[in-house]
């Protein structure tokens, strides 16, 4: 498939890598300086929708840079240009609705690192596409690092072949404890009422069941959510048969309010988790945010996280099926 397009030029950014012949992230810039306005961008995207989706699947991440994207309204127009179905966020992260399809990204303290993950990997249905918009770039740090998921699987199979296949066969179990109301002092501070969109326990149980969660009500108004069995790796159509590291073992294992074990309750060895964390970090790709950047991720193929940063930092997000 041709990367070139008559309405964009391919650029470069610091930190991008070529992985198995694919540039991550692929940078697309205005073809001409007078084509950097949002109206010209929307026109180019609508005329090249099929091409853009193919490029996103091929390269796993596409960064639109150099366009005059100013705010949530512009970002929303870009997302709606594709006609993708919106998906409601379900998870432990505190987010605030900004405009139509646009939400804040994780509102937890910028001093905390957000572990690499596929968006909404713990529930039954994950979004295919995750988009970020940088309205205010951080003065230092705050990158959104990326990791080609298949590379993690390849390397874990090299070092832990028997364990990977055993854990794959048994499946995983995730447990997360949530308060009733939101706690913005934590990167996983979303209360169950906000997460499930209702204060009614019976309705909350119904909604949780629909996404594959079991609830256990705790004294004091909190809840323990359990999700099992979940996959260790997955293969998705159109992505070269690659086996993606489609789990969040590193992010949840042994944390104060969460756990990741095998589906039968067996603990995952610390050596396995720590080495996986090292491999993910070794495979990471990061670029420095610039004002107006719009980043598209193939959520089936790439993990993402958040580096610690100094304030201010304002990055907005949208997710689609």
């Amino acid at each position: 498939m041709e990367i070139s397009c008559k309405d964009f030029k391919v650029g470069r950014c610091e930190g991008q890598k070529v992985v198995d012949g694919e540039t991550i992230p692929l940078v697309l810039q205005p073809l001409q300086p007078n084509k950097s306005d949002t109206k010209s961008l929307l026109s180019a995207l609508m005329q090249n929708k099929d091409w853009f989706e193919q490029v996103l699947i091929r390269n796993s991440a596409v960064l639109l840079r150099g366009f005059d994207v100013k705010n949530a309204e512009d970002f929303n127009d870009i997302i709606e240009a594709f006609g993708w179905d919106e998906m409601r966020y379900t998870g432990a992260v505190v987010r605030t609705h900004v405009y139509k399809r646009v939400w804040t990204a994780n509102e937890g303290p910028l001093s905390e690192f957000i572990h690499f993950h596929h968006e909404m990997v713990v529930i039954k249905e994950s979004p295919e596409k995750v988009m970020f918009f940088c309205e205010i770039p951080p003065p230092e740090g705050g990158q959104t690092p990326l990791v080609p998921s298949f590379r993690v699987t390849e390397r874990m199979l090299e070092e832990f072949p028997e364990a990977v296949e055993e854990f794959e066969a048994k499946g995983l179990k995730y447990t997360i404890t949530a308060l009733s109301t939101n706690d913005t002092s934590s990167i996983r501070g979303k209360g169950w009422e906000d997460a499930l969109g209702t204060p009614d326990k019976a309705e909350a149980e119904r909604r949780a069941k629909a996404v594959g969660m079991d609830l256990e009500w705790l004294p004091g108004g909190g809840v323990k959510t359990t999700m099992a069995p979940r996959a260790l790796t997955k293969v998705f159509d159109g992505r070269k048969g690659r086996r993606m590291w489609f789990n969040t073992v590193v992010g949840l294992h042994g944390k104060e309010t969460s756990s990741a074990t095998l589906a039968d309750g067996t603990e995952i060895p610390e050596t396995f988790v720590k080495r996986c964390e090292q491999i993910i970090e070794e495979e990471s790709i990061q670029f420095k945010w610039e004002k107006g950047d719009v980043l598209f991720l193939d959520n089936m193929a790439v993990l993402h996280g958040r580096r610690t940063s100094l304030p201010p930092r304002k990055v907005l997000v949208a997710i689609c099926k």
Side-chain angles (χ1 to χ4, degrees), residues 64-115:
L64 296 178
R65 171 165 285 181
F67 296 94
D68 190 24
V69 185
K70 295 186 179 70
N71 49 39
E73 289 81 358
D74 289 347
F75 180 43
N76 184 77
D77 287 344
I78 291 168
I79 304 307
E80 292 194 341
F82 291 96
W84 298 329
D85 291 334
E86 185 178 8
M87 192 166 186
R88 183 183 186 277
Y89 173 73
T90 302
V93 171
V94 177
R95 290 177 173 171
T96 300
H97 184 239
V98 178
Y99 178 77
K100 291 189 177 179
R101 295 178 178 232
V102 180
W103 295 71
T104 59
N106 193 319
E107 294 183 22
L110 294 175
S111 58
E112 291 193 47
F113 169 66
I114 298 176
H115 289 277

Side-chain angles (χ1 to χ4, degrees), residues 14-34:
E14 182 180 352
Q16 69 182 170
K17 292 183 181 179
V18 177
V19 182
D20 194 24
E22 300 163 7
T23 303
I24 304 175
L26 179 71
V27 180
L28 297 180
Q29 296 178 316
L31 192 63
Q32 300 169 348
N34 64 346

Side-chain angles (χ1 to χ4, degrees), residues 38 48 80 85 201 207 239 258 278:
T38 306
N48 297 281
E80 292 194 341
D85 291 334
K201 289 185 177 182
R207 294 182 183 186
R239 294 161 180 89
S258 67
Q278 291 170 352

Side-chain angles (χ1 to χ4, degrees), residues 13 15-17 19 23-26 56 59-63 113-114 116-118 130 132 143-149 151-152 279-287 289 295-299 301-307:
C13 69
Q16 69 182 170
K17 292 183 181 179
V19 182
T23 303
I24 304 175
L26 179 71
L56 178 57
N59 290 76
S60 302
V62 177
L63 177 65
F113 169 66
I114 298 176
F116 292 90
H117 60 284
H118 292 276
V130 179
F132 295 98
Q143 298 95 333
T144 299
L146 315 173
V147 174
S149 195
R151 285 291 298 141
V152 184
I279 287 172
I280 289 173
E281 186 60 48
E282 290 166 6
E283 294 291 334
S284 66
I285 301 165
Q286 44 263 314
F287 63 94
W289 281 115
L295 177 67
F296 289 73
L297 301 183
D298 176 7
N299 190 50
V302 67
L303 301 127
H304 68 278
R306 187 192 72 188
R307 301 290 186 201

Side-chain angles (χ1 to χ4, degrees), residues 152-226:
V152 184
T153 306
E154 288 179 348
R155 293 187 58 183
M156 290 297 287
L157 279 168
E158 289 172 2
E159 297 191 28
F160 303 93
E162 294 180 359
V164 168
E165 299 303 356
E166 178 190 354
F167 299 168
E168 185 74 270
K170 290 184 176 180
L172 303 173
K173 177 168 71 175
Y174 301 123
T175 303
I176 302 173
T177 300
L179 299 174
S180 176
T181 56
N182 292 344
D183 174 14
T184 56
S185 68
S186 170
I187 58 172
R188 293 193 192 92
K190 195 166 194 174
W192 63 264
E193 293 183 17
D194 189 7
L196 296 169
T198 177
D200 181 80
K201 289 185 177 182
E203 178 62 17
E205 289 178 357
R206 187 191 69 78
R207 294 182 183 186
K209 187 176 181 63
V211 295
M213 290 182 186
D214 292 323
L215 303 185
E216 176 186 341
W217 300 104
L218 303 174
V223 66
K224 182 168 76 172
T225 64
T226 302

